[in-house]
Amino acid sequence: MLDLKFIRENLKIVKKAIKDKHEKVNLNRLIALDEERRELVVKVDRLKHTRNVVSKEIGRLKSKGEDMSQKVAEMRKLGGEIEELDNKIRGLEKKVYDILTMVPNIPHDSVPTGTEKKNIIVSEWGSERSFDFEPLPHWELGSALDILDFAAGSKISGSNFPIYKGAGAGIERALINFMLDAHIKNGYKEIFPPFLVNRDSMFGTGQLPKLEEDMYICEVDDLFLNPTAEVPLINIHRNEILKGENLPIKYVGYTACFRREAGSYGKETRGLLRVHQFNKVELIKFTTPETSYEELETLLSDATRILQQLEIPYRVSLLASGEMSFASAKTYDIEVWAPGVKKWLEVSSVSNCTDFQARRAGIRFRRKKGEKAEFVHILNGSGVATPRTLTAILEHYQNRDGSITIPKVLRPYMNGAAKIKH
């Protein structure tokens, strides 16, 4: 959430951000409502001052035994006016707040303006494998090896809920444990959070109210199935003041993630490319404002190192303004090459949300005792999501005989196995 004072003083910048992110916010109405609210606040403050003055005068008349009935009657009328104005102010505050929650974060100056075509590829690693046979897509490989079962998952839960079987379940678990161990060695503190989160947590990270239709909700308890570990990890410190000397705070957490993918109509949904339940290892940083963009680059490095160790070709793109999330000021996407489907697949978004989420969640820090508390900057990144990473592994490491070579870094997590075979 942006500061209202900042919006008033930087209308052109905020209007451009709204346009560049393809959001729809009536900023003129926001300003008009806020001006009306501020005028009423001045008016009611004057009336309250008058009431205080007259109340003292009534006390003086009472102490002298003089008639104060007229003054009391005037104060009753004034009290009614004040109550009416206070109610109007509360109503205006609600309207202002509702619009304010829909204003997106402002893209950093380095972010290109536009949509997908304006994304900038900033780095590439590895090279596409050369095959002496036609590589198969992962769903054919998984079915032939009996390690992925999409039909059974659909029978149990509906479409796009895959089942991992045997070595498929094993390599999925190996990926999660490998990534957790790698990030812990890199200084992140492991958190295993709840898979259900409340409405305040979802609001604090910017999923609500904008993205509610994309979430699974347990209506009786008003709890949401976790869309990403970003939500519970950030909300650990909701409404807290952190010690500046402890920053940056670095968390890594695994969760199952659940998304309805309500806006995925027409997109590729076969196999593991777009599923409703998936596993993800998430990285979160709480930093000072002056270090957050430096920390963004190290966060990106932490995520890409996972793919380097898996020896999967990838590329990193700086997202254009229209491709970024509502809360982000700058985002890098990491995509892996999947030779079976012949596509680049996003496995991670690494973002600096500056103080946008911190304002919504009330997370601040104090540099020194006695100093004014400031909002932290919050960064998040997948380190990484497993469905498309597993897709790339299966397709990149497939062999002519239909077997899959297991990446070397995963073998210790799979009892030393080097291949998945028939």
Side-chain angles (χ1 to χ4, degrees), residues 13 90 121-122 124 141 167 177 222 250 256 297 320 360 373 377:
I13 293 174
R90 281 191 289 271
I121 297 175
V122 296
E124 296 182 77
L141 293 165
N177 288 332
D222 199 28
K250 299 163 56 174
E297 299 302 319
R360 296 169 79 99
H377 278 202

Side-chain angles (χ1 to χ4, degrees), residues 357-373:
Q357 293 174 317
R359 288 182 182 277
R360 296 169 79 99
I363 306 173
R364 296 176 291 167
F365 76 102
R366 185 171 280 118
R367 295 178 189 271
K368 293 181 181 179
K369 188 175 181 180
E371 289 190 357
K372 183 181 178 182

Side-chain angles (χ1 to χ4, degrees), residues 21 104-108 324-332 350-354 356 380:
K21 282 196 166 185
N105 202 358
I106 297 172
H108 187 260
M324 286 168 33
S325 74
F326 175 76
S328 177
K330 184 173 182 177
T331 297
Y332 293 107
V350 179
S351 301
N352 185 357
C353 294
T354 61
F356 190 84
N380 69 80

Side-chain angles (χ1 to χ4, degrees), residues 59 69-70 77 79 89 97 105 113 118 147 183 198 201 219 227 240 295-296 299 338 344 347 351 393 397 411:
S69 57
Q70 184 178 349
K77 182 180 178 181
I89 290 169
Y97 188 76
N105 202 358
T113 300
K118 294 294 184 179
I147 59 173
H183 294 308
N198 60 30
S201 296
E219 293 183 354
E240 290 183 11
E295 292 289 351
L296 177 64
L299 184 61
W344 288 99
V347 295
S351 301
I393 289 172
Y397 282 101
R411 294 175 191 177

Side-chain angles (χ1 to χ4, degrees), residues 172-320:
E172 178 79 359
R173 178 162 45 86
L175 266 173
I176 294 167
N177 288 332
F178 156 65
M179 291 188 289
L180 285 171
D181 285 347
H183 294 308
I184 291 166
K185 289 176 184 175
N186 209 24
Y188 290 82
K189 184 174 184 178
E190 183 180 4
I191 304 291
F192 185 56
F195 286 6
L196 292 170
V197 290
N198 60 30
R199 192 168 287 272
D200 287 343
S201 296
M202 292 285 280
F203 175 82
T205 49
Q207 274 77 20
L208 296 184
K210 179 177 171 58
L211 302 174
E212 184 160 353
E213 70 166 12
D214 210 27
M215 306 300 161
Y216 287 100
I217 182 172
C218 304
E219 293 183 354
V220 173
D221 303 293
D222 199 28
L223 291 173
F224 294 82
L225 273 68
N226 185 30
T228 166
E230 171 190 344
V231 179
L233 294 187
I234 288 175
N235 279 278
I236 289 172
H237 295 299
R238 189 171 76 237
N239 297 326
E240 290 183 11
I241 297 177
L242 308 174
K243 293 181 179 179
E245 64 207 56
N246 292 337
L247 300 181
I249 294 173
K250 299 163 56 174
Y251 290 147
V252 58
Y254 154 74
T255 59
C257 303
F258 305 86
R259 297 181 190 173
R260 293 183 58 241
E261 296 286 359
S264 65
Y265 178 78
K267 296 181 179 179
E268 176 62 75
T269 58
R270 195 167 183 186
L272 297 173
L273 300 185
R274 192 169 295 275
V275 292
H276 296 309
Q277 176 183 320
F278 58 96
N279 295 308
K280 185 149 71 85
V281 171
E282 187 77 6
L283 304 173
I284 295 293
K285 287 186 180 183
F286 300 88
T287 77
T288 59
E290 64 271 18
T291 61
S292 67
Y293 282 100
E294 179 184 341
E295 292 289 351
L296 177 64
E297 299 302 319
T298 60
L299 184 61
L300 175 63
S301 177
D302 293 338
T304 55
R305 192 176 297 115
I306 293 295
L307 301 174
Q308 291 172 16
Q309 290 179 271
L310 290 169
E311 299 182 81
I312 301 173
Y314 69 84
R315 68 183 185 186
V316 177
S317 297
L318 173 62
L319 294 192

